[in-house]
């Protein structure tokens, strides 16, 4: 092999190693992005579930208060 062939071979190996390294970095970065998005949406789902549950509890209390008021007003008017 002559000097040009050796240089080309070395350059090709370095380029291949560089591509493999970038591929590894890209895969790690993409996995971190996916993990971050999954974590965000899981936390958002949990938070929204809590909010909706508390809204339901509030609605039930308001409905019960409304029913009690109507029942109370109805009794006092009948009495």
């Amino acid at each position: 092999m002559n000097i040009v062939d050796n240089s080309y071979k070395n350059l090709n190996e370095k380029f291949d190693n560089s591509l493999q390294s970038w591929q590894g970095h890209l895969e790690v970065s993409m996995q971190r992005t996916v993990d971050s998005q999954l974590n965000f949406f899981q936390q958002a789902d949990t938070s929204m579930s809590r909010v909706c549950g508390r809204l339901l509890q509030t609605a039930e209390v308001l409905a019960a208060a409304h029913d009690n008021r109507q029942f109370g007003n109805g009794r006092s008017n009948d009495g």
Side-chain angles (χ1 to χ4, degrees):
M1 249 190 207
N2 62 30
I3 295 174
V4 174
D5 288 338
N6 281 336
S7 295
Y8 179 75
K9 182 181 176 188
N10 288 338
L11 178 62
N12 189 42
E13 288 174 0
K14 288 180 182 179
F15 184 69
D16 187 47
N17 290 340
S18 177
L19 288 177
Q20 288 178 4
S21 176
W22 275 104
Q23 180 181 1
H25 290 298
L26 181 60
E27 288 172 355
V28 168
S29 177
M30 294 297 292
Q31 188 59 52
R32 285 182 183 158
T33 300
V34 168
D35 292 345
S36 177
Q37 288 176 347
L38 286 173
N39 186 44
F40 171 82
F41 285 108
Q42 286 171 345
Q43 288 181 0
D45 286 347
T46 299
S47 296
M48 286 305 296
S49 177
R50 285 185 196 138
V51 168
C52 291
R54 290 177 183 156
L55 283 174
L56 177 60
Q57 290 174 342
T58 301
E60 290 169 345
V61 168
L62 290 173
H66 180 270
D67 290 346
N68 286 339
R69 182 175 176 181
Q70 281 186 332
F71 180 72
N73 287 339
R75 288 194 72 147
S76 63
N77 289 340
D78 290 342

